[in-house]
Amino acid sequence: NASNKIRLGNAAVTVLESQVGLTVVSDKTKKENFQPVDGEEVLKKIGGLALSSWNFIGHDPEQFRHYGPMAQEFFAAFGNDDVGTIGTPTTINSGDMAGILMIAVQALEKRTVELKEKEAQIADLQARLERLERMIGSYALLVPGE
């Protein structure tokens, strides 16, 4: 129903199966208009999505359940950047979904590194505090009446 589009099956199809994974071109030399993406903003947007399990209308809910966001919410959260439109309000491109998830994982890894650094700082401060408390305790023993 559109130029440069291939549709496999109809709403009755429940599985597309292959011996190999879907390969998406991701060659840097084939891309342009790069824009940085704030991982923390992506995490906030993911946190606002109403993620659920569901089935397509007409599919047996006992056999064909799925997990994930609704395309309308995904598009509202991630469908536009400073250059143009990404996706549509009724579909989610698997490459875009994977990209968003990778950005989120990267942001979480950055948080993990920062937390480990803070944990090391806290451990150092706790050790210093314990040394100071021991010094104060020793001083109190040396000074009578205080």
Side-chain angles (χ1 to χ4, degrees), residues 37-84:
V37 180
D38 182 344
E40 288 298 321
E41 285 299 313
V42 167
L43 288 173
K44 286 179 192 172
K45 290 177 181 182
I46 289 174
L49 296 176
L51 303 174
S52 60
S53 66
W54 46 270
N55 60 274
F56 287 105
I57 295 170
H59 287 186
D60 181 351
E62 291 183 13
Q63 289 187 329
F64 301 108
R65 297 288 293 168
H66 305 278
Y67 290 98
M70 299 302 112
Q72 291 83 350
E73 285 188 57
F74 191 85
F75 183 76
F78 304 110
N80 291 286
D81 66 5
D82 292 336
V83 177

Side-chain angles (χ1 to χ4, degrees), residues 90-110:
T90 58
T91 62
I92 301 176
N93 176 301
S94 61
D96 291 331
M97 176 79 78
I100 288 297
L101 294 175
M102 289 186 75
I103 292 166
V105 168
Q106 191 177 63
L108 291 173
E109 175 57 16
K110 181 179 176 190

Side-chain angles (χ1 to χ4, degrees), residues 7-146:
R7 181 179 301 271
L8 301 174
N10 58 25
V13 174
T14 57
V15 175
L16 292 175
E17 194 170 291
S18 171
Q19 293 294 318
V20 297
L22 173 66
T23 301
V24 178
V25 174
S26 192
D27 180 349
K28 186 175 183 175
T29 66
K30 307 280 186 219
K31 300 175 182 182
E32 64 182 0
N33 298 315
F34 298 94
Q35 294 290 313
V37 180
D38 182 344
E40 288 298 321
E41 285 299 313
V42 167
L43 288 173
K44 286 179 192 172
K45 290 177 181 182
I46 289 174
L49 296 176
L51 303 174
S52 60
S53 66
W54 46 270
N55 60 274
F56 287 105
I57 295 170
H59 287 186
D60 181 351
E62 291 183 13
Q63 289 187 329
F64 301 108
R65 297 288 293 168
H66 305 278
Y67 290 98
M70 299 302 112
Q72 291 83 350
E73 285 188 57
F74 191 85
F75 183 76
F78 304 110
N80 291 286
D81 66 5
D82 292 336
V83 177
T85 302
I86 301 161
T88 76
T90 58
T91 62
I92 301 176
N93 176 301
S94 61
D96 291 331
M97 176 79 78
I100 288 297
L101 294 175
M102 289 186 75
I103 292 166
V105 168
Q106 191 177 63
L108 291 173
E109 175 57 16
K110 181 179 176 190
R111 283 183 180 182
T112 300
V113 168
E114 291 170 354
L115 282 173
K116 286 182 179 179
E117 289 171 356
K118 288 183 191 303
E119 286 174 352
Q121 289 173 346
I122 289 169
D124 180 57
L125 290 171
Q126 284 176 327
R128 291 172 62 190
L129 177 61
E130 288 170 8
R131 283 193 306 272
L132 288 171
E133 287 174 338
R134 282 195 302 274
M135 287 172 56
I136 291 170
S138 297
Y139 176 76
L141 291 174
L142 295 174
V143 179
E146 288 190 29

